[in-house]
Amino acid sequence: MEKFEALIERLPPCLHWSPDGEIRVVGHRIGLYSVMKRHQAGCTPEEILEELPTLSPGEIREVIEFYQENREQVDAYVEDYRAELQRQEAAYEPTPAALRIRRLMEEKARTGEKA
């Protein structure tokens, strides 16, 4: 949190800092990262709305405006979030049960059997 304290202090009414350390849209489990990932990938606000239909057009517009006004800090937050996701993904080790289920699903896919 300390790393992004200045950013957190400037959050608009549609965003809040969650106790788990994520910036989220108020009233949703959708984070700033999820909206920014789509925006930075070139999605229009309308396309973001299609992918995240529980958000309102106004919320999407506010989040994008916040990004435009705080681009450097939001970019740093998004990059830090992305790096943490990659770290967690790299550290993931499936359980024996998950490996067994994966093998069974692959076998069914090969034989054409429905799950």
Side-chain angles (χ1 to χ4, degrees):
M1 176 175 150
E2 292 173 16
K3 185 175 182 178
F4 299 109
E5 196 166 311
L7 181 66
I8 294 164
E9 290 174 1
R10 289 194 291 272
L11 293 177
C14 70
L15 293 172
H16 70 100
W17 177 259
S18 296
D20 65 1
E22 185 175 349
I23 297 173
R24 289 204 177 95
V25 179
V26 172
H28 301 272
R29 292 175 56 192
I30 298 169
L32 174 62
Y33 173 80
S34 296
V35 178
M36 286 297 91
K37 179 176 82 168
R38 288 163 175 83
H39 178 69
Q40 292 173 342
C43 289
T44 65
E46 293 77 20
E47 291 168 330
I48 294 171
L49 182 60
E50 285 178 26
E51 291 187 29
L52 304 171
T54 61
L55 296 180
S56 71
E59 289 168 325
I60 294 169
R61 188 174 46 257
E62 279 187 72
V63 171
I64 292 171
E65 287 171 3
F66 174 71
Y67 169 66
Q68 291 169 340
E69 294 167 3
N70 300 279
R71 188 177 303 257
E72 188 176 316
Q73 294 91 348
V74 174
D75 282 343
Y77 171 82
V78 167
E79 186 52 42
D80 191 69
Y81 195 100
R82 183 177 290 123
E84 177 60 18
L85 288 176
Q86 291 171 343
R87 185 198 64 74
Q88 288 178 17
E89 201 172 276
Y92 172 71
E93 291 186 32
T95 64
L99 291 171
R100 183 173 182 269
I101 291 169
R102 188 178 297 156
R103 280 193 305 274
L104 289 170
M105 290 175 68
E106 289 169 355
E107 185 177 316
K108 285 183 177 192
R110 276 194 307 274
T111 63
E113 189 179 333
K114 291 188 178 189

